[in-house]
Amino acid sequence: MVSEERLQGEESKVAGLESNGGSMSGGLVGVARQRRRKEVVELFLRLMCMGCSIVAVSLMVTAKEATNVSIYGFNFPINSKWSFSQSYQYVVGVSAAVAAHSLLQLLIGTSRFVMKSSVIPSRKYAWLLFAGDQAFAYALVSAGSAASGVTNLNRTGIRHTALPNFCKPLHKFCDHVAISIAFTFTSCFLLAISAVQDVIWLSQHS
Amino acid sequence: MVSEERLQGEESKVAGLESNGGSMSGGLVGVARQRRRKEVVELFLRLMCMGCSIVAVSLMVTAKEATNVSIYGFNFPINSKWSFSQSYQYVVGVSAAVAAHSLLQLLIGTSRFVMKSSVIPSRKYAWLLFAGDQAFAYALVSAGSAASGVTNLNRTGIRHTALPNFCKPLHKFCDHVAISIAFTFTSCFLLAISAVQDVIWLSQHS
């Protein structure tokens, strides 16, 4: 009896809201729909970022090539592998960390989204997300730049001495590394957008 | 007559404010003082950032050394200069741009501070500052990492071939470059703090 009465009371309340403040509740529904649309974009960005990081890691890890080069008439065996360069190791480490971070945020965000609660529940969480996104974006820029500095050196040769261009005999290796670096920068760009979205959230919920 | 009456009216208003809302106006003065203290910190950060960038540029530009190295009994002349490496050119360009940006913001901010108006006048300006600080911070991380990737290669030699360690004969050159890169990263760190301060401002003034 009690529960039925309560139900009826709530139904009449809802009816009253709809009749009296129809436009207001319509506005609220619109705001909620807009919020959910923004959250879908955020989660999609995280997914893209994770994808780019995984592609960057897998391309870098598979970058190895062995070939023979003739310099001044002598045949030298050249063996290139990503793990020979600290910069390439750095790219793999940072990209893997970013993939893990993105996966974690994607899982937390999706579960919150499915439960129809806000993806960013509090200001503290928004600051945490901002800090994480910023730190990982800086790390990715750093890794990508260090690796591309080294790759550029390989491509053009070093001007101190007359070193041959490594990328002519090792073009498969260099292509792998270059595409991996491109995906690293893309991933960083997506993270930077995520950071800006965190700032927009913070500036709107003070 | 009219102006005197108006003055008296305003005086009585002020007296009323002090007697009735003395604690409130005291609180307002406290808030204003706190704001100005924060602004001093911001301007000091800009000054530090400008200083670090200028030191980084001047150290990099003066990095050159010529020496002789004996490899396998032969004497080779080695001539090192910052402009031989694209990464070092990149550091000089970005650091100079950051110094200019910091100087501009320092001048604008100081003139506003001296006129006792708010250093950040509007939300649009805060977003502009945030965007600038972010972009320059990313550029500095990128330049510093690219340069340190190349320097690290010079220091350890390249593992592809048995190249001699460049930094043994050219230690003055390498030291200049290393300290310049350290100042580049310091400058980047200060810019990142400025960006976070912009976000705090945005999150408090919505």
Side-chain angles (χ1 to χ4, degrees), chain B residues 69-162:
Chain B
V69 188
S70 68
I71 301 175
Y72 305 126
F74 293 97
N75 248 358
F76 289 96
I78 282 192
N79 187 14
S80 254
K81 210 181 160 188
W82 65 275
S83 53
F84 288 173
S85 164
Q86 287 180 343
S87 303
Y88 298 162
Q89 291 174 354
Y90 185 32
V91 167
V92 169
V94 171
S95 292
V98 168
H101 167 79
S102 298
L103 178 65
L104 184 71
Q105 295 305 332
L106 189 67
L107 287 181
I108 294 175
T110 309
S111 69
R112 284 213 180 108
F113 186 77
V114 170
M115 310 256 280
K116 301 214 169 172
S117 61
S118 182
V119 169
I120 300 178
S122 66
R123 275 177 73 77
K124 257 191 195 162
Y125 189 78
W127 273 108
L128 199 74
L129 264 187
F130 173 68
D133 287 345
Q134 278 286 85
F136 279 116
Y138 283 129
L140 275 179
V141 169
S142 160
S145 302
S148 62
V150 172
T151 309
N152 196 38
L153 214 64
N154 282 352
R155 221 174 253 282
T156 59
I158 304 177
R159 280 212 231 169
H160 297 281
T161 54

Side-chain angles (χ1 to χ4, degrees), chain A residues 80 86 134 152 160 203 206, chain B residues 80 86 134 145 152 160 203 206:
Chain A
S80 254
Q86 286 181 342
Q134 279 284 86
N152 196 38
H160 296 282
S203 76
S206 68
Chain B
S80 254
Q86 287 180 343
Q134 278 286 85
S145 302
N152 196 38
H160 297 281
S203 75
S206 68

Side-chain angles (χ1 to χ4, degrees), chain A residues 10-23:
Chain A
E10 278 181 2
E11 268 171 18
S12 67
K13 260 189 218 163
V14 169
L17 198 78
E18 273 172 3
S19 61
N20 294 329
S23 66

Side-chain angles (χ1 to χ4, degrees), chain A residues 69-76 161-164, chain B residues 76:
Chain A
V69 188
S70 69
I71 300 175
Y72 305 127
F74 292 96
N75 248 359
F76 289 97
T161 52
L163 216 71
Chain B
F76 289 96

Side-chain angles (χ1 to χ4, degrees), chain B residues 185-204:
Chain B
F185 278 116
T186 312
S187 169
C188 162
F189 179 69
L190 294 170
L191 260 188
I193 296 177
S194 289
V196 169
Q197 279 183 331
D198 299 336
V199 175
I200 291 173
W201 193 95
L202 277 168
S203 75
Q204 283 172 347

